[in-house]
Every structure is written in structure tokens, then in C-alpha cells.
Amino acid sequence: MSRSTSLVAAIATTLLLGACATGTPAATAPGAVAVDVPAVAHPAGETPQWWYRSGAARAAGSGAMDGKAKNVILFLGDGMSLTTVAAARIFEGQRNGNPGEENLLSWERFPATAFSKTYNTDSQTPDSAGTMTAITTGVKTHMGAIGVSAGTRNDCADSLNKGLLTWLQLADSAHMATGIVSTARLTHATPAATYAHSPERNWENDTDLPDAAKAAGCTDIAQQLLSTARYGRGPLVALGGGRGEFTTVEERDPEYDDKVGQRLDGRSLVTEWQQAHPQGAYVWNAKQLQAARNAPALLGLFEPDHMRYEIERKDDPSGEPSLAELTKAAISTLSRHKEGYVLMVEGARIDHANHSGNAYRALSDTVALSDAVRAAVEATSDQDTLIIVTADHSHTLNFVGYPARGNPILGKVKDKGGEDGVGGLDVARDGLGLPYTTLSYANGPGYTGATNQQPAGPKVYPHNPSSFDPAAGRPDLSHVDTEHPDYMQEALVPTKSETHGGEDVGIWARGPGSKAIRGTMEQNTIYHMIVQATPRLRQRLCEAGTCDAHGVPVDLPTPKAFERKADAN
């Protein structure tokens, strides 16, 4: 064969591979590698292996293999829609005495940006379990799934052979240090998806686990935090809420005399963790966390349930650390390990506030996440640490009207005559002559009709109604303080809890491998961006035989192969 013929053949092969790589950009970026992906019928042909390979192809084709990250930190703003980000940006700027629109949250200064498509395999609008599982395992799955591929929710037996290896477990197997930080219960959907395997996100402790699931061989999520040490050492840092999930009904809570744990199986998982980490520190308040700065392992459970909203931390009787303080403590502990580390940090209560129809708490907790990201940037180097900030899904928060520059983001709209901009600055009015706020929700408990809990009119946080009466028009907000932290934005459709949204969310990144993060990608591709940009993770996958000839991890790993016993054989 002549040189020219060989060249034509090589070009044809490259084009063919590019055509086969469904949804994968041409391999023209630095370090880009082409991976062929079979075309499938959607959704019937979307197997776990297909999801894994297609995500690998997109990451490799974007140049993720060129990354040389020693450490990885993933920040997850739960429910942090792009509208929430924009409103929080202005909220922070105005809190600092500026107009607000010119402000940037810490991660908005990162050089790499992209969009993430968030749907679950069975739902256009997703939940946190299925979305975080996509991010942690490289495989999209069903709503409610924790660390398992798509199947039947509530069916333990169906899930037993569907466990997926998370990048936290992969890192543990590769002798890296691992950590989890969340303002939710550590057993809640997002943190749980880094270490647990369950078809149902609500099986958080043994009292939540149905007898049929127990008989079939499933275990509750809380005890899986300890058992995930079979991949190495388990998380050396685990900081968040959820004391009740880890303690028994015989154990009185150390902070609240009227509370006890929730476990009925007699297992105090806190005691078991302390036995497994005799030099480690178990802490439950800010002062203890500060005193434990030199401990080789940290378990922090700061509330029986979720941690407090940022605005409510000051009311904690024992002192509750901020998300930034938790992040700094985690990095301080993990960074002592020369092999590198991976860390997941969740700003969980952004989501909870949006569900409650309370924009103030959603925005202030988003700013708290920005503070945590800033702390991580200051504590690390972009030469060896990949930092990714993203969200798992959106919400129905709306940013509307034509408010003038610098108008309070939580206030009523003031404009100069609407879109035409003719006239003096004045309160904008709807078709009924009533003022309205810049922020509102498409649905939720802020619906202004009477409920079984509050009368007709503007609603006040907290509001968890179980029945609604139709609203008789909109309330007059002229004399209502819509900037009060407890004011609940109006909702168009009455629902007990505001729902998630289905639109794309943002991804922001800096550090080794971040240049590959661009465009619009399936959410499960984030996993592949992480493992391909981190040589130690990539090497561990290749050692297990999951890589192609170019060293790209393309085959779905079998979790059992990464356990310590498998390493010893």
C-alpha cells in the first residue's frame, strides 16, 4: 500500500470513528482521543455500558485525557439553577453595598464553563439521587437511585447486581484520600451517591428499610458509609448532618435533650466509626471541629437532621460551622496525603429553600457555597487541583419584569415604564394594578390562596400546607416587606413543595483538565472528565482492564474488582 493510500485510509478511519462517536466532538482539542460509540435507539438501547462509553467518548474527545490533576474537588450546589446563581450574584453584590449586577460569585471567575443535561432515564425533570449517581458513576439511572444502574425503584433484589463504582470508591481503591462534606444529612441523596448502593434513596437507616428489602439482602445507607471502607480506608473526612441516622433510639442526642437516635438495630455507627479510627476525631460542633484540626480522620455530625440554613447558624446553641469552615477542615486533613485526594462538597440547603418557596434562604446558602469555593481556591493550586462547580438539577425560580439597575433582588419591581423605558422610576404594576416581585416561583407553597395552615394572602416561611383553597386574585404587596428573610415568593401553581426544573444547569471548572469542560454535555460525562483528568484514577481503571488501546477507560468497571480482597489476589 502506498503512503498516499495509507494516509487516505487513516483519514477515513478517523472520520468513521468520529461519526460513530454519537454526541462526541471531533478530536481536535489538545490531548483529544476518539472513542467509537455505537448508535442506539433511545431510550431502549441505553444500557449502563452504553452510558459509560458515551460519556467516556465525550470527555476523551474534548481532551480530558490531557489533564494531570493530583487532587479533585467537586462542589455541588443542590438545586442551584442558573436563575438561582444569577439572583444570588446580585444578592451578594447588593449585600456588599453595590448595585449587584456587576458582581460575580467565586466560581464565575473560573475559565471553563459548560452546560449539563440533567434528565434521569425515566424522567424529564430529575431528582438528586439519579443525577448525583450520574455524576459519581458515569452512568445515568432512574429517579431515586443511589449508586445503581436503572431498574425498579423499591426493588432490592433487582438492584443487587446493578451496583456501580463511584469515583470516591475508585479513588479509595487507588490509595488516594477521600472526603465528603454536606449541609444535608450525610445519608441524603447527594452525599449518599458517593458511597452507597440502593434503588431507593429513602432507605437512610434501618427503620426506613422495608422487611422485604432486608430479606433480599439490602442494607441501609448509613451503615454503607462504614462498609465502603472495603475499597481502601473509606472516607477519611465525612462532615455534615444526620446524627439520628447513625445513632440508636437508646442514645440521647448530645445537643438536644429531647432527641434520640433513630436506629432500632442496636448499632451505634458513630461508635463503630470511632473503633475503626482510634486516632480519628468525632465532632458535633464548631469548637470541636477546630480542636480536631490535626486528626488523621474526621467524622462530623452537626445536627440530628440537616444542618441549619446559613441565616440560622447563629441560633445554634452549640455553634455550627459554616460550609466554608467545613471545606477548609476537609482540605487540611486530606491534603496531608501525598497520593492526592478527592473531595465532594455539597451546598444542600439551596435545594431545600427553593422547595420551601423561600428565595432569601436559597440565595444566602448559594452565597455560602461561593464562600466555600473561594476558601478551596485559596487553599489549593490550579496547577495540581481540579475544581468543578455544578448543580444536580434546576428549580422553578423565575427572574421577571423590567426592574431598574440596582433594584433590590428580593424587592418589588421598580422600572421606568417597562420595556419602552419611558417615564420616571416607579413601582411596576400588573394588569390588575398591583405590584409584584422580581423573583417568583412557577409552583410551590407560596401560592396565595388560603391553606390549612395560613390565611389567604402572602405566605410566611415555614409553610407546609396539606390543602389549598383557590386564590381570589393576587394580594396587594404595597405594604408587604418582600425582602424579609421569611417572605415566601408568590407561586402560580399550588403545591405542597415547589418542584425541580428540567432545564440545563451550569458547570464551572479550573485546574488540570478543566479545558475539556465546554459546550453542552450529558451529566454523566462529569464523572469521565474527573477520572480522565486524574492520572491516578485513570491508571487504576486501566489496571483493572477497563481501558482501550489509547488508555481511555471505556468499559464499565465491576465494583467487586476494586475491593481490597481483589487487590490482594
Side-chain angles (χ1 to χ4, degrees):
M1 184 182 293
S2 67
R3 288 184 61 190
S4 59
T5 303
S6 299
L7 179 60
V8 170
I11 292 173
T13 301
T14 301
L15 291 174
L16 179 61
L17 288 175
C20 291
T22 306
T24 304
T28 56
V33 179
V35 174
D36 64 304
V37 179
V40 298
H42 299 282
E46 298 167 355
T47 64
Q49 171 57 39
W50 182 87
W51 279 116
Y52 195 87
R53 189 177 185 91
S54 62
R58 172 59 197 272
S62 297
M65 293 285 288
D66 204 35
K68 299 292 185 291
K70 177 183 178 183
N71 315 305
V72 179
I73 306 174
L74 175 76
F75 284 92
L76 196 290
D78 200 311
M80 193 174 69
S81 64
L82 290 173
T83 304
T84 303
V85 171
R89 172 200 308 150
I90 296 173
F91 176 82
E92 181 187 52
Q94 292 180 344
R95 196 168 66 176
N96 292 332
N98 299 308
E101 297 85 2
E102 75 293 333
N103 187 47
L104 289 173
L105 298 174
S106 60
W107 59 78
E108 294 184 285
R109 302 180 187 278
F110 287 2
T113 58
F115 293 113
S116 171
K117 297 165 65 177
T118 65
Y119 62 94
N120 295 141
T121 56
D122 58 350
S123 184
Q124 281 184 345
T125 299
D127 87 318
S128 296
T131 51
M132 192 59 181
T133 294
I135 292 171
T136 60
T137 70
V139 175
K140 285 211 175 196
T141 187
H142 66 259
M143 181 182 284
I146 297 288
V148 295
S149 58
T152 305
R153 192 166 177 169
N154 293 313
D155 189 340
C156 168
D158 174 70
S159 72
L160 292 179
N161 64 346
K162 294 182 176 180
L164 300 167
L165 184 75
T166 74
W167 51 258
L168 200 87
Q169 293 164 333
L170 171 64
D172 199 11
S173 175
H175 308 296
M176 298 174 73
T178 63
I180 305 163
V181 173
S182 176
T183 51
R185 298 187 298 269
L186 286 180
T187 51
H188 208 237
T190 299
T194 66
Y195 65 84
H197 307 281
S198 173
E200 171 53 69
R201 59 179 287 176
N202 294 316
W203 294 348
E204 294 188 46
N205 67 64
D206 67 302
T207 61
D208 299 326
L209 198 63
D211 289 340
K214 292 178 184 177
C218 282
T219 56
D220 64 83
I221 291 170
Q223 65 171 291
Q224 291 189 54
L225 180 64
L226 275 67
S227 65
T228 195
R230 66 188 181 277
Y231 294 99
R233 295 167 291 192
L236 295 181
V237 174
L239 304 173
R243 277 196 301 266
E245 315 296 326
F246 294 87
T247 53
T248 72
V249 292
E250 286 82 26
E251 293 177 271
R252 191 162 299 281
D253 189 84
E255 190 172 12
Y256 305 102
D257 288 339
D258 61 339
K259 296 184 183 298
V260 295
Q262 297 188 47
R263 302 192 68 85
L264 291 172
D265 59 2
R267 293 182 62 185
S268 173
L269 300 182
V270 170
T271 300
E272 291 184 20
W273 183 91
Q274 290 173 311
Q275 292 169 344
H277 300 86
Q279 304 302 314
Y282 165 61
V283 299
W284 54 267
N285 61 50
K287 186 176 180 180
Q288 291 175 348
L289 179 66
Q290 180 70 14
R293 68 180 71 178
N294 294 320
L298 277 174
L299 173 63
L301 299 172
F302 300 97
E303 287 288 337
D305 196 1
H306 301 307
M307 291 180 66
R308 294 173 180 251
Y309 287 109
E310 178 63 20
I311 188 179
E312 297 167 4
R313 277 199 310 114
K314 65 184 185 303
D315 303 322
D316 187 280
S318 301
E320 190 169 292
S322 68
L323 187 58
E325 290 168 338
L326 295 175
T327 301
K328 287 188 284 189
I331 293 173
S332 176
T333 297
L334 298 175
S335 61
R336 298 180 197 136
H337 297 266
K338 66 180 189 305
E339 296 87 358
Y341 62 86
V342 299
L343 171 64
M344 191 286 293
V345 179
E346 182 197 20
R349 308 227 62 193
I350 301 167
D351 173 74
H352 300 160
N354 276 324
H355 276 307
S356 294
N358 179 237
Y360 187 99
R361 284 171 173 77
L363 304 189
S364 57
D365 269 51
T366 302
V367 172
L369 179 64
S370 178
D371 293 340
V373 173
R374 185 178 300 107
V377 168
E378 292 171 353
T380 61
S381 167
D382 62 3
Q383 298 303 300
D384 66 4
T385 302
L386 171 62
I387 299 179
I388 298 174
V389 181
T390 189
D392 47 357
H393 55 73
S394 181
H395 270 280
T396 73
L397 183 65
N398 300 310
F399 190 146
V400 300
Y402 298 99
R405 177 75 185 272
N407 197 66
I409 191 65
L410 293 169
K412 293 177 275 289
V413 173
K414 290 184 179 180
D415 64 20
K416 296 181 179 180
E419 189 175 11
D420 294 331
V422 292
L425 182 66
D426 199 3
V427 174
R429 299 185 182 277
D430 67 8
L432 302 173
L434 298 172
Y436 57 94
T437 56
T438 301
L439 301 180
S440 62
Y441 287 94
N443 58 40
Y447 180 75
T448 58
T451 72
N452 64 312
Q453 291 189 353
Q454 295 187 21
K459 296 301 183 288
V460 178
Y461 175 88
H463 180 223
N464 300 293
S466 57
S467 64
F468 297 84
D469 292 335
R474 290 190 57 242
D476 186 351
L477 300 178
S478 297
H479 303 292
V480 175
D481 181 6
T482 63
E483 297 178 56
H484 191 282
D486 292 339
Y487 173 76
M488 293 174 60
Q489 281 65 31
E490 289 181 70
L492 174 64
V493 176
T495 56
K496 181 176 181 179
S497 175
E498 180 265 357
T499 72
H500 296 168
E503 71 270 25
D504 296 353
V505 297
I507 312 173
W508 299 263
R510 66 147 229 183
S514 61
K515 290 180 180 179
I517 296 176
R518 62 185 186 276
T520 299
M521 65 181 71
E522 296 286 0
Q523 192 166 46
N524 61 299
T525 303
I526 296 173
Y527 161 95
H528 296 279
M529 292 290 182
I530 290 172
V531 299
Q532 290 184 24
T534 311
R536 198 172 186 93
L537 299 180
R538 205 165 65 223
Q539 178 184 354
R540 182 68 183 93
L541 287 167
C542 289
E543 288 172 354
T546 72
C547 297
D548 65 8
H550 299 288
V552 181
V554 295
D555 293 330
L556 187 65
T558 303
K560 195 75 175 174
F562 293 81
E563 295 181 9
R564 282 177 299 180
K565 278 192 290 187
D567 288 342
N569 291 338

